[in-house]
Amino acid sequence: MTQSNQRITGGKLTALLVLVLALTACEKKIESTIPPDANTLKGDIEKTFNALNDNVPVWYWDVPVALTPGHLMSSFNKDSTSELLILQRYSLIQQLSQLYSRGGLSPDEQDDILNIAGYVNTYGDATFKAIVEDPVNAGFKAYVQSYLPNYLEYYGYSRLALAERPTYVVNGTVQLSLTFNNSTLLPQLKQSRQLDYDFRVFGYSKDSISLNGYYNTSSNKVCRLLAIRNEQGIVDYNNGATMMANCFFTRVPVSLKMDGAKLTVPANFRNGLSYFISKFRDGIMNKQLLEFSYELMNPKAPDLIEAFKDLRFCTVKSSFEGSYASAPAGATLITMNAYTAGGTKKVLEFIKE
């Protein structure tokens, strides 16, 4: 009989029982060192749930690629209900449609709009933009810009809407997760591979929650929830963006003032509003202020006016309470806080002519 197949005799059995009892005692000692619930998955569930709904009016979904409907925001309640809010934006076709129907265009100009819309419908927004940006199409680019001065980065965010009220749960048996139930929007976004409704939680704090959506190992969507504590800032941006879009689509005359002084813009622009739209991308979440902003696209653009050269982004402070038509001539339609590269703040106003 080999060494490995030897039978255990009485003396050896006693020694083995002593060893087993010793190991059992060690195991019990190890069990007594298990941390309290506050440092376990159960504790993480409670902390994450509290982080979502304690003193944070709205969370902003910070995703790598902009969602088709616009910007998504969420509020979370202690009763496990949620509100999904969307700051809606116009597609290129929707912008062209607004211009066609509201811009006071001549028949020839309306034909131009239909011609441009035909290209967008044929190629889609992304390919159309690439075609216009090709240097060989410089003439066509000027043609498009006469109607859409910033076809690349202006979306005319215009309406803050409550999309739906789903429920949510923070749970997990092995890994912490955030899951939305009774939602129609999020499954649609998952189907189009934009955003999920069932997330792994990779980190949480009072201001940020890191998430990873369940698609598959090669296409998970890493995103964050960022706390927006100034809920009024969302409303102010929505109101200002709505006024700006209405003025742009109706092509009414709007000039600019910086710290009270009227600005002169290049003659090839219809007015100050068109010039501003050509230089700033809209609907950008400023990570310093956690507010929606207008961000200067190119501080070194050759036709950038002097008053804009030290600006980096603007946020909406207030807007006229009423329509453009109801505002008297000379009224301030939109007031913005304009922030410079050095951190100082100026006042930018949009004036009805």
Side-chain angles (χ1 to χ4, degrees), residues 189-190 193-196 213-217 219-221:
L189 293 178
K190 179 169 184 175
R193 310 198 71 76
Q194 295 185 74
L195 194 68
D196 202 355
Y214 292 101
Y215 291 102
N216 55 53
T217 55
S219 63
N220 285 348
K221 300 285 185 175

Side-chain angles (χ1 to χ4, degrees), residues 136-248:
V136 302
N137 295 322
F140 184 59
K141 178 176 181 176
Y143 172 63
V144 171
Q145 284 182 315
S146 65
Y147 297 101
L148 299 174
N150 190 357
Y151 56 87
L152 283 176
E153 298 285 357
Y154 178 74
Y155 294 104
Y157 291 92
S158 62
R159 192 166 78 96
L160 183 63
L162 174 64
E164 61 182 9
R165 290 187 171 95
T167 58
Y168 74 96
V169 61
V170 180
N171 59 16
T173 54
V174 177
Q175 189 172 27
L176 196 61
S177 68
L178 168 65
T179 303
F180 288 88
N181 301 305
N182 308 313
S183 171
T184 57
L185 171 66
L186 293 175
Q188 291 173 6
L189 293 178
K190 179 169 184 175
Q191 187 174 11
S192 60
R193 310 198 71 76
Q194 295 185 74
L195 194 68
D196 202 355
Y197 57 86
D198 191 14
F199 301 90
R200 286 173 286 182
V201 180
F202 282 166
Y204 57 88
S205 71
K206 66 177 183 177
D207 293 314
S208 178
I209 296 179
S210 299
L211 305 172
N212 195 325
Y214 292 101
Y215 291 102
N216 55 53
T217 55
S218 63
S219 63
N220 285 348
K221 300 285 185 175
V222 177
C223 59
R224 290 186 301 168
L225 290 173
L226 298 178
I228 302 179
R229 298 182 182 275
N230 179 17
E231 192 172 7
Q232 183 59 40
I234 302 171
V235 176
D236 291 338
Y237 180 85
N238 173 72
N239 293 340
T242 299
M243 176 65 77
M244 183 178 292
N246 287 337
C247 290
F248 173 66

Side-chain angles (χ1 to χ4, degrees), residues 44-118:
D44 287 341
I45 290 173
E46 182 177 350
K47 288 180 179 179
T48 304
F49 181 84
N50 290 334
L52 283 171
N53 56 53
D54 279 357
N55 303 315
V56 180
V58 182
W59 292 85
Y60 168 75
W61 286 84
D62 182 30
V63 295
V65 180
L67 302 177
T68 299
H71 288 293
L72 181 65
M73 290 163 280
S74 303
S75 64
F76 296 89
N77 305 316
K78 290 184 181 294
D79 63 358
S80 294
T81 60
S82 176
E83 290 83 37
L84 296 183
L85 306 168
I86 295 180
L87 184 61
Q88 295 176 325
R89 64 178 182 174
Y90 290 101
S91 66
L92 285 179
I93 283 295
Q94 288 171 331
Q95 292 184 53
L96 292 167
S97 176
Q98 290 285 322
L99 284 170
Y100 183 91
S101 61
R102 302 175 58 197
L105 303 178
S106 69
D108 286 344
E109 289 173 326
Q110 287 184 326
D111 286 343
D112 289 343
I113 293 294
L114 292 176
N115 184 42
I116 296 171

